Short mmCIF file of all heavy atoms in Angstrom, two decimals:
data_model
loop_
_atom_site.label_atom_id
_atom_site.label_comp_id
_atom_site.label_asym_id
_atom_site.label_seq_id
_atom_site.Cartn_x
_atom_site.Cartn_y
_atom_site.Cartn_z
N GLY A 124 118.15 133.58 94.38
CA GLY A 124 116.82 133.22 93.71
C GLY A 124 116.65 131.66 93.43
O GLY A 124 115.51 131.16 93.54
N ALA A 125 117.76 131.06 93.08
CA ALA A 125 117.64 129.62 92.94
C ALA A 125 117.38 128.83 94.10
O ALA A 125 116.72 127.68 94.15
CB ALA A 125 118.95 129.02 92.23
N VAL A 126 117.93 129.28 95.32
CA VAL A 126 117.62 128.62 96.64
C VAL A 126 116.22 128.78 96.91
O VAL A 126 115.58 127.77 97.30
CB VAL A 126 118.56 129.37 97.64
CG1 VAL A 126 118.28 128.75 99.09
CG2 VAL A 126 120.07 129.14 97.36
N ARG A 127 115.69 129.98 96.68
CA ARG A 127 114.17 130.14 97.00
C ARG A 127 113.33 129.27 96.00
O ARG A 127 112.28 128.66 96.51
CB ARG A 127 113.85 131.58 96.91
CG ARG A 127 114.33 132.47 98.00
CD ARG A 127 113.58 133.88 97.95
NE ARG A 127 113.95 134.52 96.76
CZ ARG A 127 114.97 135.29 96.68
NH1 ARG A 127 115.91 135.57 97.69
NH2 ARG A 127 115.18 135.92 95.60
N ASP A 128 113.71 129.32 94.81
CA ASP A 128 112.89 128.59 93.73
C ASP A 128 113.83 127.86 92.83
O ASP A 128 114.14 128.35 91.71
CB ASP A 128 111.94 129.54 93.08
CG ASP A 128 111.23 129.10 91.94
OD1 ASP A 128 111.06 127.78 91.91
OD2 ASP A 128 110.68 129.80 91.03
N PRO A 129 114.31 126.65 93.15
CA PRO A 129 115.14 125.82 92.27
C PRO A 129 114.45 125.63 90.89
O PRO A 129 115.27 125.63 89.80
CB PRO A 129 115.42 124.54 92.85
CG PRO A 129 115.00 124.78 94.33
CD PRO A 129 113.90 125.92 94.39
N GLY A 130 113.26 125.74 90.73
CA GLY A 130 112.54 125.55 89.40
C GLY A 130 112.89 126.66 88.32
O GLY A 130 112.81 126.59 87.22
N MET A 131 113.28 127.79 88.93
CA MET A 131 113.52 129.02 88.01
C MET A 131 114.72 128.65 87.18
O MET A 131 114.79 129.13 85.94
CB MET A 131 113.75 130.29 88.79
CG MET A 131 115.10 130.38 89.52
SD MET A 131 115.50 132.03 90.12
CE MET A 131 115.78 132.98 88.63
N LEU A 132 115.65 127.83 87.54
CA LEU A 132 116.78 127.41 86.67
C LEU A 132 116.35 126.68 85.36
O LEU A 132 116.73 127.04 84.34
CB LEU A 132 117.80 126.61 87.33
CG LEU A 132 118.57 127.17 88.70
CD1 LEU A 132 119.33 126.22 89.37
CD2 LEU A 132 119.32 128.38 88.13
N THR A 133 115.37 125.85 85.56
CA THR A 133 114.73 125.17 84.51
C THR A 133 114.00 126.00 83.67
O THR A 133 114.16 125.95 82.40
CB THR A 133 113.92 124.00 85.00
OG1 THR A 133 114.62 123.14 85.94
CG2 THR A 133 113.35 123.22 83.79
N ARG A 134 113.22 126.80 84.16
CA ARG A 134 112.40 127.82 83.35
C ARG A 134 113.30 128.78 82.55
O ARG A 134 113.02 129.10 81.40
CB ARG A 134 111.43 128.62 84.32
CG ARG A 134 110.33 127.69 84.95
CD ARG A 134 109.25 128.73 85.57
NE ARG A 134 109.81 129.37 86.67
CZ ARG A 134 109.93 129.03 87.91
NH1 ARG A 134 109.66 127.77 88.30
NH2 ARG A 134 110.40 129.83 88.89
N CYS A 135 114.31 129.24 83.24
CA CYS A 135 115.33 130.18 82.47
C CYS A 135 116.08 129.38 81.41
O CYS A 135 116.26 129.96 80.26
CB CYS A 135 116.30 130.69 83.48
SG CYS A 135 115.59 131.98 84.60
N ALA A 136 116.57 128.23 81.65
CA ALA A 136 117.18 127.54 80.68
C ALA A 136 116.39 127.24 79.56
O ALA A 136 116.73 127.16 78.40
CB ALA A 136 117.61 126.13 81.22
N GLU A 137 115.04 126.78 79.73
CA GLU A 137 114.20 126.42 78.61
C GLU A 137 113.83 127.64 77.76
O GLU A 137 113.69 127.58 76.58
CB GLU A 137 112.77 125.95 79.22
CG GLU A 137 112.98 124.45 79.85
CD GLU A 137 111.69 124.08 80.57
OE1 GLU A 137 110.70 124.89 80.85
OE2 GLU A 137 111.57 122.90 80.76
N ARG A 138 113.79 128.93 78.40
CA ARG A 138 113.49 130.11 77.75
C ARG A 138 114.73 130.72 76.96
O ARG A 138 114.67 131.18 75.81
CB ARG A 138 112.87 131.13 78.68
CG ARG A 138 112.56 132.50 77.85
CD ARG A 138 111.69 133.40 78.81
NE ARG A 138 111.43 134.65 77.95
CZ ARG A 138 110.63 135.60 78.55
NH1 ARG A 138 110.07 135.35 79.78
NH2 ARG A 138 110.54 136.78 77.96
N PHE A 139 115.91 130.78 77.72
CA PHE A 139 117.08 131.48 77.23
C PHE A 139 118.24 130.55 76.70
O PHE A 139 119.13 131.00 76.09
CB PHE A 139 117.53 132.42 78.18
CG PHE A 139 116.54 133.34 78.71
CD1 PHE A 139 116.20 133.30 80.06
CD2 PHE A 139 115.97 134.31 78.01
CE1 PHE A 139 115.22 134.13 80.59
CE2 PHE A 139 115.15 135.16 78.43
CZ PHE A 139 114.61 135.06 79.87
N GLY A 140 118.06 129.28 77.14
CA GLY A 140 119.21 128.29 76.84
C GLY A 140 120.13 128.19 77.99
O GLY A 140 120.36 129.16 78.69
N SER A 141 120.61 126.89 78.30
CA SER A 141 121.47 126.74 79.40
C SER A 141 122.71 127.49 79.32
O SER A 141 123.25 127.87 80.54
CB SER A 141 121.83 125.23 79.57
OG SER A 141 120.69 124.48 79.83
N GLN A 142 123.20 127.98 78.23
CA GLN A 142 124.42 128.70 78.08
C GLN A 142 124.28 130.04 78.81
O GLN A 142 125.35 130.64 79.09
CB GLN A 142 124.89 128.76 76.60
CG GLN A 142 124.10 129.90 75.86
CD GLN A 142 122.69 129.43 75.52
OE1 GLN A 142 122.34 128.30 75.68
NE2 GLN A 142 121.95 130.45 75.02
N CYS A 143 123.10 130.54 78.98
CA CYS A 143 122.99 131.85 79.57
C CYS A 143 122.82 131.80 81.18
O CYS A 143 122.86 132.85 81.90
CB CYS A 143 121.63 132.57 79.08
SG CYS A 143 121.70 132.94 77.39
N VAL A 144 122.59 130.62 81.60
CA VAL A 144 122.27 130.49 83.02
C VAL A 144 123.70 129.91 83.93
O VAL A 144 124.05 128.92 83.63
CB VAL A 144 121.13 129.34 83.18
CG1 VAL A 144 120.87 129.30 84.80
CG2 VAL A 144 119.93 129.73 82.38
N VAL A 145 123.99 130.74 84.77
CA VAL A 145 125.21 130.43 85.59
C VAL A 145 124.73 130.35 87.04
O VAL A 145 124.02 131.22 87.54
CB VAL A 145 126.13 131.55 85.56
CG1 VAL A 145 127.33 131.22 86.34
CG2 VAL A 145 126.70 131.77 84.06
N ILE A 146 125.05 129.21 87.75
CA ILE A 146 124.62 129.10 89.18
C ILE A 146 125.79 129.58 89.91
O ILE A 146 126.94 129.18 89.75
CB ILE A 146 124.24 127.68 89.56
CG1 ILE A 146 123.86 127.71 91.02
CG2 ILE A 146 125.29 126.66 89.28
CD1 ILE A 146 122.61 128.49 91.36
N SER A 147 125.60 130.46 90.74
CA SER A 147 126.56 131.05 91.59
C SER A 147 126.68 130.49 92.97
O SER A 147 125.61 130.47 93.67
CB SER A 147 126.62 132.55 91.73
OG SER A 147 127.57 133.09 92.56
N ILE A 148 127.68 129.73 93.41
CA ILE A 148 127.72 129.16 94.57
C ILE A 148 128.89 129.61 95.48
O ILE A 148 130.02 129.67 95.14
CB ILE A 148 128.02 127.54 94.48
CG1 ILE A 148 126.84 127.00 93.70
CG2 ILE A 148 128.06 126.83 95.85
CD1 ILE A 148 126.92 125.48 93.39
N ASP A 149 128.49 130.22 96.67
CA ASP A 149 129.47 130.75 97.62
C ASP A 149 129.46 129.77 98.75
O ASP A 149 128.63 129.58 99.52
CB ASP A 149 128.94 132.18 98.04
CG ASP A 149 128.86 133.16 97.15
OD1 ASP A 149 129.64 133.01 96.13
OD2 ASP A 149 128.08 134.12 97.11
N ALA A 150 130.62 129.06 98.90
CA ALA A 150 130.68 127.86 99.87
C ALA A 150 131.81 128.25 100.91
O ALA A 150 132.88 128.86 100.62
CB ALA A 150 131.08 126.71 99.02
N ALA A 151 131.47 127.70 102.09
CA ALA A 151 132.41 127.71 103.16
C ALA A 151 132.49 126.36 103.86
O ALA A 151 131.51 125.69 103.91
CB ALA A 151 132.09 128.82 104.26
N ARG A 152 133.57 125.98 104.25
CA ARG A 152 133.76 124.75 104.81
C ARG A 152 133.10 124.63 106.37
O ARG A 152 133.23 125.53 107.11
CB ARG A 152 135.25 124.41 104.96
CG ARG A 152 135.41 122.87 105.61
CD ARG A 152 136.97 122.57 105.78
NE ARG A 152 137.59 122.28 104.45
CZ ARG A 152 137.56 121.11 103.95
NH1 ARG A 152 136.95 120.02 104.49
NH2 ARG A 152 138.24 120.87 102.79
N ASP A 153 132.55 123.55 106.57
CA ASP A 153 131.96 123.18 107.86
C ASP A 153 132.18 121.83 108.08
O ASP A 153 131.48 120.92 107.68
CB ASP A 153 130.47 123.53 107.89
CG ASP A 153 129.91 123.32 109.30
OD1 ASP A 153 130.47 122.92 110.21
OD2 ASP A 153 128.63 123.88 109.46
N GLY A 154 133.16 121.50 108.89
CA GLY A 154 133.52 120.08 109.09
C GLY A 154 134.20 119.39 107.75
O GLY A 154 135.18 120.06 107.36
N GLU A 155 133.66 118.34 107.46
CA GLU A 155 134.25 117.79 106.27
C GLU A 155 133.55 118.16 104.92
O GLU A 155 133.93 117.89 103.84
CB GLU A 155 134.04 116.10 106.38
CG GLU A 155 134.72 115.46 107.51
CD GLU A 155 136.16 115.69 107.41
OE1 GLU A 155 136.72 115.48 106.21
OE2 GLU A 155 136.93 115.95 108.39
N ASP A 156 132.41 119.02 105.12
CA ASP A 156 131.86 119.41 103.94
C ASP A 156 131.82 120.97 103.70
O ASP A 156 132.27 121.66 104.60
CB ASP A 156 130.37 119.02 103.94
CG ASP A 156 130.18 117.49 104.01
OD1 ASP A 156 130.76 116.78 103.19
OD2 ASP A 156 129.49 117.02 104.89
N TRP A 157 131.28 121.46 102.60
CA TRP A 157 131.17 122.88 102.39
C TRP A 157 129.67 123.14 102.15
O TRP A 157 128.88 122.44 101.64
CB TRP A 157 131.87 123.28 101.13
CG TRP A 157 133.34 123.00 101.08
CD1 TRP A 157 134.26 123.84 101.35
CD2 TRP A 157 134.06 121.87 100.72
NE1 TRP A 157 135.50 123.31 101.26
CE2 TRP A 157 135.38 122.01 100.80
CE3 TRP A 157 133.59 120.55 100.21
CZ2 TRP A 157 136.26 121.13 100.42
CZ3 TRP A 157 134.54 119.74 99.77
CH2 TRP A 157 135.91 119.86 99.93
N TYR A 158 129.25 124.34 102.74
CA TYR A 158 127.78 124.68 102.58
C TYR A 158 127.71 125.97 101.88
O TYR A 158 128.57 126.84 102.03
CB TYR A 158 127.29 124.68 103.97
CG TYR A 158 127.00 123.30 104.59
CD1 TYR A 158 127.85 122.74 105.25
CD2 TYR A 158 125.79 122.70 104.37
CE1 TYR A 158 127.67 121.35 105.70
CE2 TYR A 158 125.54 121.41 104.85
CZ TYR A 158 126.51 120.80 105.49
OH TYR A 158 126.29 119.49 106.06
N HIS A 159 126.62 126.01 101.19
CA HIS A 159 126.27 127.27 100.34
C HIS A 159 125.76 128.43 101.12
O HIS A 159 124.80 128.08 102.08
CB HIS A 159 125.25 126.81 99.26
CG HIS A 159 124.83 127.90 98.30
ND1 HIS A 159 125.65 128.78 97.74
CD2 HIS A 159 123.54 128.31 98.00
CE1 HIS A 159 125.01 129.64 96.93
NE2 HIS A 159 123.82 129.40 97.11
N TYR A 160 126.18 129.64 100.88
CA TYR A 160 125.78 130.80 101.43
C TYR A 160 125.08 131.73 100.39
O TYR A 160 125.45 131.75 99.25
CB TYR A 160 126.83 131.64 102.11
CG TYR A 160 127.33 131.01 103.40
CD1 TYR A 160 128.05 129.77 103.39
CD2 TYR A 160 127.15 131.61 104.63
CE1 TYR A 160 128.47 129.24 104.58
CE2 TYR A 160 127.63 131.13 105.85
CZ TYR A 160 128.30 129.82 105.75
OH TYR A 160 128.72 129.26 106.98
N THR A 161 124.16 132.57 100.89
CA THR A 161 123.45 133.55 100.09
C THR A 161 123.60 134.93 100.59
O THR A 161 124.26 135.12 101.69
CB THR A 161 121.94 133.23 99.85
OG1 THR A 161 121.35 133.39 101.18
CG2 THR A 161 121.73 131.84 99.48
N HIS A 162 123.09 135.99 99.78
CA HIS A 162 123.01 137.26 100.37
C HIS A 162 124.46 137.75 100.65
O HIS A 162 124.78 138.29 101.68
CB HIS A 162 122.22 137.52 101.61
CG HIS A 162 120.78 137.16 101.29
ND1 HIS A 162 120.26 135.96 101.20
CD2 HIS A 162 119.78 137.99 101.11
CE1 HIS A 162 119.05 136.05 101.01
NE2 HIS A 162 118.53 137.17 100.84
#
Side-chain angles (χ1 to χ4, degrees):
V126 174
R127 286 191 300 269
D128 178 15
M131 75 168 288
L132 295 173
T133 302
R134 295 192 296 274
C135 288
E137 290 175 346
R138 180 167 176 179
F139 308 114
S141 292
Q142 79 284 349
C143 292
V144 183
V145 179
I146 182 63
S147 178
I148 298 178
D149 298 331
R152 182 182 284 275
D153 186 349
E155 296 298 320
D156 298 313
W157 299 269
Y158 284 86
H159 176 52
Y160 284 68
T161 62
H162 297 78

